Every structure is written in structure tokens, then in C-alpha cells.
Amino acid sequence: VQLPQTSLRTAQRLQLGGKTRRLQINPIIKAYEVTLEQPTLNDARADLERVSAALEASQGLGKLSTETAVVRSLSDLARESQWRLTVFVRTGEREREIVGFAGTGRRPLGVAFDLGTTKIAGYLLDLETGEELASAGIVNPQISFGEDVISRIVYAARDAKAAQQLADAVRTGIDESIGALVQKAGVTREQIADACVVGNTAMTHLLLQLPVAQLAIAPFIAATSSAVDVKARDLGLRIAPGAHVHIVPSIGGFVGADHVAMVMGSDLDRLSYVALGVDIGTNTEIGLHRPGQPFVTSVSCASGPAFEGAHMRSGMRAASGAIEAVRITREGIQVKTVEDAPAVGVCGSGIIDAVAEMYRADTIDRRGHIREGAPWVRRGDQGNEIVLVPRQSSGTGEDIVITQHDVSELQLAKSAIATGLEILVESTQIALTDVHEIIVAGAFGSYIDIRNAVYIGLLPNIARAKYSQIGNAAGIGAKMALLSYKERARARKLALRSSYLELTTYPGFNRRFALSTMLPQKGHELDIHDSEPRRAANMVGSKEAK
Amino acid sequence: VQLPQTSLRTAQRLQLGGKTRRLQINPIIKAYEVTLEQPTLNDARADLERVSAALEASQGLGKLSTETAVVRSLSDLARESQWRLTVFVRTGEREREIVGFAGTGRRPLGVAFDLGTTKIAGYLLDLETGEELASAGIVNPQISFGEDVISRIVYAARDAKAAQQLADAVRTGIDESIGALVQKAGVTREQIADACVVGNTAMTHLLLQLPVAQLAIAPFIAATSSAVDVKARDLGLRIAPGAHVHIVPSIGGFVGADHVAMVMGSDLDRLSYVALGVDIGTNTEIGLHRPGQPFVTSVSCASGPAFEGAHMRSGMRAASGAIEAVRITREGIQVKTVEDAPAVGVCGSGIIDAVAEMYRADTIDRRGHIREGAPWVRRGDQGNEIVLVPRQSSGTGEDIVITQHDVSELQLAKSAIATGLEILVESTQIALTDVHEIIVAGAFGSYIDIRNAVYIGLLPNIARAKYSQIGNAAGIGAKMALLSYKERARARKLALRSSYLELTTYPGFNRRFALSTMLPQKGHELDIHDSEPRRAANMVGSKEAK
């Protein structure tokens, strides 16, 4: 497939959660077409030396290094292609390096990956135009070794073989994803001359097969937090033989490369006002930016897997049939499910909605206690519970419920985030009222109802208009780092200058965490009328329960 | 084992074929002992960043790169060794790199290998003192895939699997040799922070798994002739995880890294007079040096496997029982065997001696014809032959003979070398009488009787005193490149500035080659009385044959 030869190195539009922004494309890879002199008995120069001579003569490129793995592919290709080649050259900080050879007319491509604990998002881009040629999402194959970060660390720390298994799992997943991307775009693997990966610290460590045991016990130390450039072939990725995989640096502790990428993808570090970036997950990272300071101060909150539906009686991930929104009125409980399929469980955003609506309807009190005798409340085997969808209407034949235990789990999760955010803001001598924007990033963050998240105290009580939900900013950050070495330098500076605030040693943390499990006092919500629950219009009517 | 902490970076004596010379030691690797700050919850810097900080603070070393494979070994070692470490740092042309970590007190070591078609010689050295801690010689395990270079190229060119087999064979051999070296010296593999390999072009290509098909057909083009730095782990060598293997560059065609190393090891490029360096083998490389020119002009002569005893009726390699020297007198034939064992065959130096003595005794004429009726000559199944050792005295129960075919094979081999040397000298407008020294290098070259080699016209007829036999100069060159980055730079310049003269396209080559198969006219030998056959004193008496 011949791609359009648009050599525009100017600013390129990138779609970013509704906003469109421009990115200067400065790829680290360039493609050169060369014609080599054919060897004779009296010109017995080696094949590689012919390439060097041609690049020197036509492009003025001197002193190129080339790894053996790359040289390996040259001799046959040169002869098959009648001594005309495309040479992919990487301009590193200290040297130029030939990373691959291909036939003539092959454009230089790259892949970016956002390596999540649960999902891996992959993107195939043209390195010169920035055009996205394909994207693909897969489940992280490591999931069969443990759903959460800690169980995978425990598994990997068993022995070298276990660590190898986990590394192989994610590497194979990424390589298969690359296979899907090249097939979609109709291109070849050897055209992919560069790659970029972001992920949380545990995920990047497991990918690189770095030791993780020390990451799981206090004081939670990474093996390295620097940017890593590793050869793609060392990770089993079958792209150009000399291609690198660039891993974006991390800030420290659990504040990883994905957080740095989120900051870049949301431009948080460049805003002209005080702003927060929040990426909610099993660990929730929050970055605080102040104007004039091109970096952030970050905390990591151990919010746990509640938002992924784990440890909840009817909890599940946001798959088909998951209740993602809930409304409780005097008439009954309305739910909205993913793909409008029959309800089979409740995912994170549904749990937030359910608890908010239960609190609004006085079904639970500030401590989260489900009140005996409130509408739709019944006595379960482990205390009171509310039935969202009775078995007659569910897709499973079971009641879909929120139990007292579920509410408590959510309170712990929301308190972890709220306490972290509060301490972060307070530690930098800033008042919440000075915060001009709270950017809620990540796939999960895009689905939650901000009004309800504020109502239960998960997010702070500031004007609804100050919130923005921007989607997978970490994925955007990964693409930016792929397309521009200047963005890599930005990430490096960002990681170096940003600071990490350890919450657990902050004075009074435990007390404040305990207090914050309480739901907020009612009647103080700002902008309470600025938006109706967004998805109410789509809600399907539900039956009365019990 | 604690090695003496002699930090002498001054000139070091290296034993070199009887001569002792001094080498400035400038290792590319340095060892630093560091004490890391222990992590706490409020100092959550990653392990690697602690190492960087310690090296910066104690040594002023900034901006170090570290590969993932090296980082992998850090976290556990740092904790086991109470945060005290030895760090091996490689200072490359463009950057500093951490190549390995070890416990405290570990000295930095290196290995050098001379990778021959038949034998692999390995040396373990202290990189700071230059001291040789151990040496080991093994048979190249590739030999099971073919005895000579061409048959291995043909095998490797079949498919990728075959090339992998050949690469694996030699890599395993080298790695096992490293195992033997560390055991002899009582050191550990992770202390070996650098390695250097020399070999002919085919051997280094097969080691690196570079394509070789184009190397076997005209115009005989190498994939690369540059110096190669490849990670030891990529060759399956289990030394320090970030250690490099440096492959010395080659000049072109079949004039490989071993020739460059021979030039360095013999100091040929630095002599103040016209000199030749000759390394006799299946291919014989000859380098010509002129004063004031710090490089050589080289030819490669297709001398064939005659000197390894191949294609000879009673031929064999120089193993126990091989006849290595022959003397023919009126009384009978005297032979000297390797290890004085019962004779089982004839090796290269024995064949040279036998033919020279047969010519001296008029048993053969100038054309190499074995004369009917000459003493000890009999009629064999393929023409006349001479019996060196009759079956009654041999270790095999078979007659050990030199056939007419064997003599012809030797004539072809000696003509290839003589013609190459003659054309080389002539092409540079130099008279043979201007040649001040002929250095005969290599293990084989050390064993031949120069007088007899001159007598049959293998080597030119110049004064015996101008010849020197210096042993494995290529191995010395490999050690020099291991111990000093200045010697690597010297090799690079040498390879770049030296030129390769293709013999087969030289005007009149074929005619001259054919003429040179003749043995020299008698009575013109210089210094014919300057030395008796060196090993006559050790010769065991032999019986009369037939």
C-alpha cells in the first residue's frame, strides 16, 4: 500500500476528548531512499559500507551506527531490490542509528501503546504526517495471572520463571496487537521503526521484566523511574529489527509513566491557571499544576478496585449489561446498562450513581448506613441491601443489589481519593476555590456522573463548569511522545521536576481518611441545578423492587 | 577470590613470541565502588536513580545510560549487599553506560577470543592490570558442520535454521570456554564486563549470524567490515548483563579481523622498515608494510586446506602422533611426531619437510614428479608414492605415505602463497631485496621449518635471519584491543586505511600461479648453511622403507 506522500512536518491536529489541538511533529525516525553502488571484484566494500557511503553522498549523513540485528537483513534485501532501499534512521541524543531497511516507497510508521492493568490500547501512526492509520484495544493477557496490580506483583515475585510468564503474556499481547494494526492498515511490520509505551509503574516493570517485589512493600521503590529505550526485539516485538521501544519516564512510587502521559495529553503542565488532573482507577493519581510551573505535584491514592466492580456483590467491569447509571425516584429505580443489554451487574459509574441516589433519597445516612425500612431496602444475609434490578428483570436470574458492604467499599474508595486531593491542594498552600479546572481523565473518568461524584464527596464541591472529562489522555500522551522527540524531552523534564507527595506519612492522614469516609453534609452543593443527570433521557424504566 | 589491588595503569609487559613488549592499558571499563542511600517512604527515588546519584556525588559521573537487562539485576543485589556495590561503567565514544553490578571488591575482568576455523583460543584478563588470569583452547564446535570455511558457509546459507545452528554452536563453545576460564581463575561470570573477538570474515559473520551466501560467490562481499559492538547476551554469553563484545574490524574480502589483529599483535604497522606479515592457513593473508605508513596492503591467497592435512592420503591435523618434521638421508627417513607418539599421519609442517627433503634428495623433480626407482619410492594405486613410515612401525597399522597427488596439492598451496606474496610486493613497486623482515605468524607458522619452506618456494628466498616466527599474533592483537580503547581506534584506522589487493583480477595472475607450482631451481638458496633443521636433534630414528 502506497501512502500519500504528504511530507508536512508542520503542526498536526490531534483529536482530544472533544477539543482539537495542534502538535508539532518531530519524529525521531527519518526515512531515506538510497541507491547503492553494485559490488565488483575490484570494489569489494561490504554491503553496510555501501549504505553508509550512499547516505553520506546523498544526505551528508556521517557516522551512523548499525546493530548486527539490522545488518542481518541487508545483504539479501539489497540484492533482491536491485540495490535500491529505504533506510530508516533514528537520530538519538548522541548518535544516528540505522534501525531498519525496507524496499523503496515504504513510509516510516510507529506504534503507541497505553498499557493498562486491564486494557491495552494500541495506535498505528505515520511518523511523518502524524496520521493515525489504525487503532486496536485488547484485554491485557496478564489478567489470567491476577486481576489487580498487587496479585500480579506477588505472582511475578515468586521466581524468574513466573516473571518471565507475565512478561511473555503482555509482550505477546502487544505483538499480536501490532499484527492486527498492520493488517487493518495494509502495511508491513518492518515499516514500524519506532514504538512508545506508557503504563503504570507495575505494568512497565512487568513488561520490561524488571524486579517488582520491592515495589509492593514499603517504601515502594521502583527499579528505575527514568525513561527507558529498549530494543523492540528484546521485548519479542517483531517490527524493524533495530527499532526501539521508548517507555515514558515516571515520577516515583506509584505515579508512573501513564500519569506523565496524562499530564502531557491534557496539557495540564502548560495551563495558565491552577488545575488538577485526576485519573481514577485502582490507584488514582492526581496531579496539581500551578501557573508558571511547567510540572506537577502528584499523589497516588490507594482507591482500590471498587470502581472496577471488584469485591462488590453484584459488581462487574463496564461490559455489556453492566448498570452504568442509576436514578432513584419515588416511583422506582431506573437503570441504564452498557449496550442497553439486560442488566447483569453494576460497574463503577453505576455504583457511584446508586450510592449518590440512595443518599439523595435518604436511603442511606451520612455514615453510609442503609436505613431499615427505606423503600426498596430489604434484609440480606449480611445486613441491609437495596435491590436495583430484581431477578425477574435481570439478565442473570439473580437480584442485582447494592449491599451494606458495597456502600462501605465505595466510601473507602471515595475517601482515599478525596483525602489525597485535599492533602495535595493543602500541601501546596492553595485553596480549593483557587482551582480553576479539574480534568477528569481516563476511560472510567469519562463515564462517571460528575454531579453524583461530587454529591458523595468523591470529587470536591466546586462549580460543575470547572470540571472537564477528556477521555484517554494517557493514550494521547503516548502518541505525542511517539511523534515528537521534543515531547519526550518534555516528559523527561516533567518527570524530573515534578514531585511526589507520599500521603501515608502526611501528618493526620489516617484520621482524615477515616473522617472522609462520611458522605458530605447535604445542602451545600454548588451548581446543584446546572445539570440534570446526563443519561436520564436514555434510561429504561425499571420496576419497583420488593 | 580477592585479586591484588595493583592499580597500575602504566605500560604492561606482554609476552609475544619470545619478544616482550609494553602495552599501555586503557580499558574501556572502569569499576567504581558506591554506597547508596537507603530508601524511605519520603525518599522514594528508584534504585537506579540512587546509583546515578552516588556516582555523580562520589565520582562526578553524570548522564549514564543503563540498559533494562542491567537494571534487572540491581534491586535484589542492592538489598542483599546492604546498599554497597561495585558498578562497572563503560566509557564509549559517545556516552557512559553501566554494564553491570557486582558485590564489593569485585575486580573488572575481560575475555579475548581468537576465533579460528578449527580452534578457538580464549584468554581471561584483569582489565586494570592486564594480568592474564587464565587461558583455554577448544576445538571450534562448528567443525561438525564442515571442516572448512566454504562448507560451513554452504551449510549456513541453506536456511535461517541452519545459520542459527552454526551460530549456536560457536556461541555455546565460547560460553563454555568462558565457564572454564572463570573456574580456572576462581572468579565470577558477572565480573566479566567486556569481551573482544577476532576471527576471519566467515567466522565472525557466522558468530554474529550475519548472511554469508554472498561471501562465498564472486565478488565475495561481506555484510559489514566495520568494527561491531554487540551485546554479549545477544550472543548467548553469560557475562555482565550489559557487557559488549567488540569485534575488530576487517579490511575487506577475506582479509578479516584476525589479519588486522595479527598486524597489531606483531606491530607490523609500526615498523621502521619494509616488512611482510604472513599468516598461513586455508586462506593465507599477507600484509605488506612500508615505513611511515601506519597501515598495510594485503592479499588473501586461496592456499587451501593442504596445511591442515586435508585431502592428503595420510594427512591429519597437528594432533598427537602427527608427523611434524621429516629428514631424508642416505641411511633412511627420520620423522618427529607430535608428543613423540607412534606415527598416525602427517600434518602440514611434516608435509612441507617431506616434500623439501624429497626434492633435496632428488626423489622429486622441479615439476614435483616422484621419480620411478628413487629410494623408498614405490608404485601405489594412484601413481608413485614415498613411504615415510611403514605399517610395521606406524600407530595405525597402515603405511604412512606421501603420494604424487599429495605433492601436487602442496605445490598448488605453496604456489598460491608465493604468487600472492610476489604480486603484493611487485604491485607496491618494491623489490624483494628491500624487504627487511618477514613475520610468519599463527600457530602453524610457528611450527614450519622456514629453511624447507624457502627450499620448496613457499616462502621467498631471502636471508633466513630476516624471518621471524612469532606465534599467535592475532590472539595478542585480540588481547590488546580488549585492554585498550586506543588499540581499538588503531584497529579501526588500520582497517580503514589499509587496502586489499584482489589477486584473481591482477594481470597475468593465472599464468604466474601455474608457473609458481614449479619448485625453485636448486643452488640459489641464500644462507643455506645458516641453520640446520631445527628439530633434527629431537628426531627419533626411523627404519628404512621398502
Side-chain angles (χ1 to χ4, degrees):
Chain A
V1 166
Q2 192 76 19
L3 293 165
Q5 194 77 26
T6 52
S7 184
L8 77 142
R9 297 268 170 105
T10 53
Q12 188 72 13
R13 280 165 195 279
L14 275 184
Q15 195 70 24
L16 171 54
K19 296 179 189 172
T20 298
R21 44 197 297 267
R22 287 179 170 279
L23 172 73
Q24 193 81 30
I25 297 179
N26 296 109
I28 203 162
I29 298 288
K30 286 188 182 165
Y32 299 99
E33 303 234 330
V34 294
T35 303
L36 309 183
E37 288 179 32
Q38 292 191 35
T40 64
L41 271 172
N42 292 314
D43 173 11
R45 281 175 300 157
D47 291 327
L48 181 63
E49 279 61 42
R50 282 165 210 284
V51 173
S52 304
L55 284 170
E56 171 92 53
S58 67
Q59 307 288 342
L61 293 184
K63 283 220 171 190
L64 288 151
S65 73
T66 317
E67 284 193 314
T68 303
V70 179
V71 180
R72 215 167 271 158
S73 67
L74 172 60
S75 297
D76 289 351
L77 181 64
R79 286 164 181 79
E80 284 161 14
S81 66
Q82 275 83 48
W83 306 95
R84 291 195 60 216
L85 298 171
T86 303
V87 186
F88 298 124
V89 177
R90 178 180 196 266
T91 304
E93 275 175 78
R94 298 182 186 89
E95 59 176 0
R96 285 206 187 83
E97 179 183 350
I98 297 175
V99 298
F101 299 106
T104 51
R106 298 288 188 182
R107 295 190 57 75
L109 309 180
V111 285
F113 283 91
D114 175 19
L115 177 53
T117 309
T118 306
K119 276 187 174 174
I120 302 176
Y123 311 92
L124 176 70
L125 286 88
D126 183 304
L127 290 178
E128 281 179 359
T129 65
E131 189 190 349
E132 186 170 312
L133 306 177
S135 67
I138 59 163
V139 170
N140 186 335
Q142 286 181 336
I143 214 152
S144 58
F145 298 93
E147 297 235 334
D148 57 81
V149 164
I150 294 298
S151 58
R152 287 187 215 168
I153 288 180
V154 168
Y155 188 90
R158 277 189 205 172
D159 53 40
K161 200 185 144 203
Q164 183 74 56
Q165 278 183 303
L166 275 176
D168 286 346
V170 66
R171 291 170 181 181
T172 304
I174 291 175
D175 193 57
E176 285 175 2
S177 189
I178 291 171
L181 290 169
V182 296
Q183 202 171 6
K184 275 188 193 176
V187 296
T188 60
R189 278 177 177 266
E190 78 263 18
Q191 283 178 264
I192 302 177
D194 205 19
C196 188
V197 171
V198 306
N200 64 52
T201 307
M203 287 306 110
T204 54
H205 272 54
L206 291 173
L207 169 68
L208 296 172
Q209 216 181 327
L210 288 170
V212 287
Q214 81 293 342
L215 202 58
I217 50 171
F220 314 108
I221 302 301
T224 179
S225 57
S226 303
V228 169
D229 284 294
V230 64
K231 288 287 169 171
R233 62 173 192 275
D234 285 347
L235 303 184
L237 306 185
R238 293 165 297 161
I239 57 177
H244 292 73
V245 177
H246 179 81
I247 318 267
V248 170
S250 53
I251 292 173
F254 280 98
V255 183
D258 51 353
H259 184 69
V260 173
M262 181 277 277
V263 172
M264 287 163 63
S266 65
D267 256 353
L268 179 62
D269 55 330
R270 288 179 172 166
L271 297 177
S272 56
Y273 43 79
V274 176
L276 289 164
V278 185
D279 196 342
I280 300 172
T282 305
N283 275 281
T284 297
E285 277 77 42
I286 310 173
L288 171 76
H289 164 76
R290 283 166 286 179
Q293 300 190 335
F295 51 86
V296 294
T297 305
S298 301
V299 293
S300 178
C301 317
S303 38
F307 301 119
E308 289 175 4
H311 306 163
M312 298 275 175
R313 174 72 61 85
S314 302
M316 67 179 289
R317 266 191 244 105
S320 183
I323 296 171
E324 53 171 337
V326 176
R327 197 168 185 194
I328 301 178
T329 63
R330 284 176 200 282
E331 289 72 41
I333 298 178
Q334 291 173 288
V335 299
K336 160 85 178 77
T337 61
V338 174
E339 294 172 1
D340 293 326
V344 293
V346 198
C347 68
S349 60
I351 291 162
I352 292 172
D353 273 14
V355 172
E357 285 287 272
M358 286 161 78
Y359 185 42
R360 210 170 262 124
D362 287 327
T363 306
I364 56 176
D365 63 17
R366 277 195 69 201
R367 292 170 180 278
H369 286 145
I370 300 180
R371 289 197 310 158
E372 198 84 42
W376 305 289
V377 168
R378 70 178 186 195
R379 186 85 198 159
D381 51 2
Q382 290 179 332
N384 293 330
E385 60 190 29
I386 188 165
V387 181
L388 293 184
V389 178
R391 69 189 67 137
Q392 308 90 289
S393 314
S394 81
T396 57
E398 304 280 330
D399 292 336
I400 296 172
V401 301
I402 301 281
T403 67
Q404 182 62 64
H405 173 80
D406 297 344
V407 175
S408 303
E409 285 284 319
L410 187 74
Q411 285 174 275
L412 291 174
K414 78 99 186 171
S415 176
I417 296 170
T419 311
L421 191 147
E422 208 178 282
I423 288 176
L424 172 63
V425 172
E426 173 187 306
S427 75
T428 49
Q429 321 283 324
I430 281 175
L432 250 181
T433 47
D434 295 331
V435 175
H436 199 79
E437 185 178 9
I438 296 182
I439 298 165
V440 183
F444 175 70
S446 301
Y447 287 106
I448 64 171
D449 185 317
I450 297 290
R451 202 186 72 130
N452 282 340
V454 170
Y455 194 75
I456 64 169
L458 187 160
L459 290 172
N461 187 12
I462 65 170
R464 177 66 187 81
K466 290 186 174 176
Y467 278 98
S468 55
Q469 289 167 286
I470 61 163
N472 186 7
I476 301 281
K479 290 186 224 176
M480 291 162 72
L482 176 67
L483 291 175
S484 172
Y485 60 83
K486 289 185 180 169
E487 294 296 328
R488 295 186 192 184
R490 175 184 176 189
R492 219 169 274 132
K493 271 190 207 151
L494 197 48
L496 205 67
R497 301 185 61 182
S498 293
S499 56
Y500 163 66
L501 175 69
E502 172 61 32
L503 290 171
T504 58
T505 57
Y506 194 86
F509 171 79
N510 287 336
R511 200 181 132 267
R512 292 170 72 161
F513 175 77
L515 283 175
S516 273
T517 58
M518 298 271 278
L519 299 176
Q521 279 198 307
K522 290 184 184 178
H524 298 284
E525 307 87 356
L526 296 173
D527 297 335
I528 195 71
H529 300 295
D530 77 337
S531 66
E532 285 297 294
R534 287 169 306 138
R535 281 151 301 185
N538 295 330
M539 283 190 185
V540 295
S542 74
K543 314 251 162 57
E544 284 193 15
K546 198 174 184 181
Chain B
V1 166
Q2 192 76 20
L3 294 164
Q5 193 76 28
T6 52
S7 185
L8 76 143
R9 297 266 169 106
T10 53
Q12 188 73 13
R13 279 164 196 279
L14 275 184
Q15 195 71 22
L16 171 54
K19 298 178 188 172
T20 299
R21 43 197 301 266
R22 287 180 170 279
L23 172 74
Q24 193 81 30
I25 296 179
N26 297 109
I28 202 161
I29 299 288
K30 286 188 183 166
Y32 299 99
E33 303 235 328
V34 294
T35 303
L36 310 182
E37 287 178 32
Q38 291 191 35
T40 64
L41 273 171
N42 291 316
D43 173 10
R45 283 174 299 156
D47 291 327
L48 181 62
E49 279 61 42
R50 280 166 211 283
V51 173
S52 304
L55 284 170
E56 171 92 53
S58 67
Q59 307 288 343
L61 294 183
K63 284 222 171 190
L64 289 152
S65 73
T66 318
E67 285 192 314
T68 303
V70 179
V71 180
R72 214 166 271 157
S73 67
L74 172 60
S75 298
D76 288 351
L77 181 66
R79 286 164 180 79
E80 284 161 14
S81 66
Q82 274 85 49
W83 307 95
R84 292 195 59 215
L85 298 171
T86 302
V87 186
F88 298 123
V89 177
R90 179 180 195 266
T91 303
E93 276 176 76
R94 300 184 185 87
E95 58 177 1
R96 283 207 189 81
E97 180 182 350
I98 297 175
V99 298
F101 299 106
T104 51
R106 297 288 188 182
R107 297 190 56 74
L109 309 181
V111 284
F113 283 92
D114 175 18
L115 177 53
T117 309
T118 307
K119 275 187 173 174
I120 302 176
Y123 311 92
L124 175 69
L125 286 87
D126 184 304
L127 290 177
E128 283 179 0
T129 66
E131 189 190 350
E132 186 170 312
L133 305 177
S135 67
I138 59 163
V139 170
N140 187 333
Q142 287 181 336
I143 213 150
S144 58
F145 298 93
E147 296 235 334
D148 57 82
V149 164
I150 295 298
S151 59
R152 286 187 216 167
I153 288 181
V154 168
Y155 187 90
R158 278 189 202 171
D159 53 39
K161 200 186 144 205
Q164 183 75 56
Q165 278 182 302
L166 274 176
D168 285 348
V170 65
R171 291 169 181 182
T172 304
I174 292 175
D175 194 56
E176 286 174 2
S177 188
I178 291 171
L181 289 169
V182 297
Q183 201 171 6
K184 275 189 194 175
V187 297
T188 60
R189 278 176 177 268
E190 78 263 18
Q191 281 179 266
I192 302 176
D194 204 19
C196 188
V197 171
V198 305
N200 66 52
T201 308
M203 287 307 110
T204 54
H205 273 54
L206 291 172
L207 170 69
L208 296 171
Q209 216 180 329
L210 287 170
V212 286
Q214 81 292 341
L215 202 58
I217 50 170
F220 314 109
I221 302 300
T224 179
S225 57
S226 303
V228 169
D229 284 295
V230 63
K231 287 288 169 171
R233 62 173 192 276
D234 285 346
L235 303 183
L237 307 185
R238 294 165 297 162
I239 56 178
H244 291 72
V245 177
H246 178 81
I247 318 267
V248 169
S250 52
I251 291 173
F254 279 98
V255 183
D258 50 354
H259 184 67
V260 172
M262 182 275 279
V263 172
M264 288 162 63
S266 65
D267 256 353
L268 180 62
D269 55 329
R270 289 179 171 166
L271 297 178
S272 58
Y273 44 78
V274 176
L276 289 163
V278 185
D279 196 342
I280 300 172
T282 304
N283 274 282
T284 296
E285 279 78 42
I286 310 173
L288 171 75
H289 163 76
R290 282 166 287 179
Q293 300 189 336
F295 50 86
V296 293
T297 306
S298 302
V299 293
S300 177
C301 316
S303 38
F307 302 118
E308 288 175 5
H311 306 164
M312 299 272 175
R313 174 70 62 83
S314 301
M316 67 179 289
R317 268 191 243 106
S320 183
I323 295 171
E324 54 171 337
V326 175
R327 196 168 187 194
I328 302 179
T329 63
R330 283 174 203 284
E331 288 73 43
I333 299 179
Q334 290 172 288
V335 300
K336 159 86 178 76
T337 61
V338 174
E339 293 171 2
D340 294 324
V344 293
V346 198
C347 69
S349 59
I351 291 163
I352 291 172
D353 272 14
V355 171
E357 287 285 272
M358 287 161 78
Y359 185 42
R360 209 171 262 127
D362 287 326
T363 306
I364 56 175
D365 63 17
R366 277 194 70 199
R367 292 171 181 277
H369 286 141
I370 301 180
R371 290 197 309 159
E372 198 85 41
W376 304 291
V377 169
R378 70 178 187 196
R379 187 84 199 161
D381 49 2
Q382 291 178 333
N384 293 329
E385 60 189 29
I386 188 164
V387 181
L388 294 184
V389 178
R391 70 190 65 139
Q392 308 91 287
S393 312
S394 81
T396 57
E398 306 279 331
D399 292 334
I400 296 173
V401 300
I402 302 280
T403 67
Q404 182 62 65
H405 173 81
D406 296 346
V407 175
S408 304
E409 286 283 319
L410 187 74
Q411 285 174 274
L412 292 173
K414 77 101 186 169
S415 177
I417 296 170
T419 312
L421 191 146
E422 209 178 281
I423 289 175
L424 172 64
V425 172
E426 172 187 306
S427 75
T428 48
Q429 321 284 323
I430 281 175
L432 250 181
T433 47
D434 296 331
V435 176
H436 198 79
E437 185 178 8
I438 296 183
I439 298 165
V440 183
F444 175 69
S446 301
Y447 287 107
I448 64 171
D449 185 317
I450 296 291
R451 203 184 72 128
N452 282 339
V454 170
Y455 194 75
I456 64 168
L458 189 159
L459 292 172
N461 187 13
I462 65 171
R464 176 68 188 81
K466 289 186 175 177
Y467 279 97
S468 55
Q469 288 168 286
I470 61 164
N472 185 7
I476 300 281
K479 290 185 222 174
M480 290 162 72
L482 175 68
L483 290 176
S484 172
Y485 60 84
K486 289 185 181 170
E487 295 296 327
R488 296 187 191 184
R490 174 185 175 189
R492 218 170 273 131
K493 272 191 204 150
L494 197 49
L496 205 66
R497 302 185 62 184
S498 293
S499 57
Y500 163 66
L501 174 70
E502 173 61 32
L503 290 171
T504 59
T505 56
Y506 193 85
F509 172 77
N510 287 335
R511 200 180 132 267
R512 292 171 71 160
F513 175 77
L515 283 175
S516 275
T517 58
M518 298 269 279
L519 300 177
Q521 279 196 305
K522 291 185 185 178
H524 298 284
E525 307 88 358
L526 297 172
D527 298 336
I528 194 72
H529 301 295
D530 79 337
S531 65
E532 283 299 293
R534 288 170 306 137
R535 283 153 299 185
N538 295 330
M539 283 191 186
V540 294
S542 74
K543 316 249 161 58
E544 282 192 17
K546 200 173 182 181

